[in-house]
Amino acid sequence: VYVPQPAVPSSVAWPTILPTVNAQVLALQFQFDRTQWWSAEQLTAHQLRQAELLIAHAARYAPFWKSRLAALGDLQRGDLTMARFRSIPIMKRTDIQDAGASLFSTALPADHGQPFPVRTSGSTGTPIEARGTGMTWMMQNALSMRGHLWHQRDLGAKNVDIRNPYPAGREPKNPKWSPVPGGGSHVRLDISLSISELLDRILAEDPAYLQTHPYTLLGMIELSVETGEKPSSLREVRTFGETLEPRIRRIAREAWGVPVIENYSANEIGTIAHQCPENQFLHVMAESILVEVLDDEGESCKPGEVGRVVLTSLHNFASPLIRYANGDYA
């Protein structure tokens, strides 16, 4: 639980008064609508302001970070520059494995909520464990809502999500896929099911929206073409977890008549980038994450160059991930 939820007044039918977390998720959209137009310089300045708070917390409460951040000294507000930030050693997935519990903060700001485990094998197949909090959960919900609004999705319609099952004891009682009143139902299917079983469930659920991995989608479409059965109400597919190849977009359009929207994310980080509503390029979620794309010398790549992705999750105080190379290239 993020924060205690005050009761929504039963005597107010309109306008709608939302529970605190839902209201915060929607209130963030007001800021996002403005910050998405900021210059790179404005965004970087505010990212560094937030990174100062994260670094100060990590240096004090996360044993793994004490020596790695020692070179920065006692940072004062406004001291952190990008040059100083880049003096922090890059963190690898093996560092997370080796760190174990020393990566986890021994104390958290009270308003971040209780920590919970986040486990992932990632695209590299190297399993790691991190932690999230109510704060990171709320921020991810806000970023998901941004994507829904960008692509003008009908939030009252049904959504099916194919991924790992909910952890035991954390299954929602009445799952919805958005915080708005009258939000549509949300069905989560286990990705370990066979392609045949998944397609059968999709046909039975008949959702308006579907989220899955690109190659799971491709397998279902290919089987659908063979059987001649396809979802009748589907409007859009969202993909995550793997690179979306152009041919999968084309096949989905030809066979199912739907667009495929790409989302770049990682379990331990959350949403990294959403597809633009006007083209197939991706926009970094700069309000939540600082992304670097670096060459072999550790310098920023120029447009058009390929480099390794290095990520800083700006609001995760439970298991700080600072200048974390997740194994991806972009």
Side-chain angles (χ1 to χ4, degrees), residues 165-192:
Y166 289 109
R170 290 183 55 203
E171 303 89 346
K173 293 181 180 178
N174 185 27
K176 303 291 182 182
W177 66 299
S178 79
V180 300
S185 62
H186 175 77
V187 178
R188 188 159 173 169
L189 301 182
D190 187 344
I191 196 168
S192 67

Side-chain angles (χ1 to χ4, degrees), residues 241-262:
E242 300 162 344
T243 300
L244 175 60
E245 293 185 17
R247 70 185 182 97
I248 298 179
R249 292 186 193 269
R250 175 180 53 79
I251 291 169
R253 178 70 75 177
E254 292 173 353
W256 283 3
V258 296
V260 181
I261 306 300
E262 186 172 17

Side-chain angles (χ1 to χ4, degrees), residues 110 175 198 276 287:
L198 287 173
C276 179
E287 297 87 354

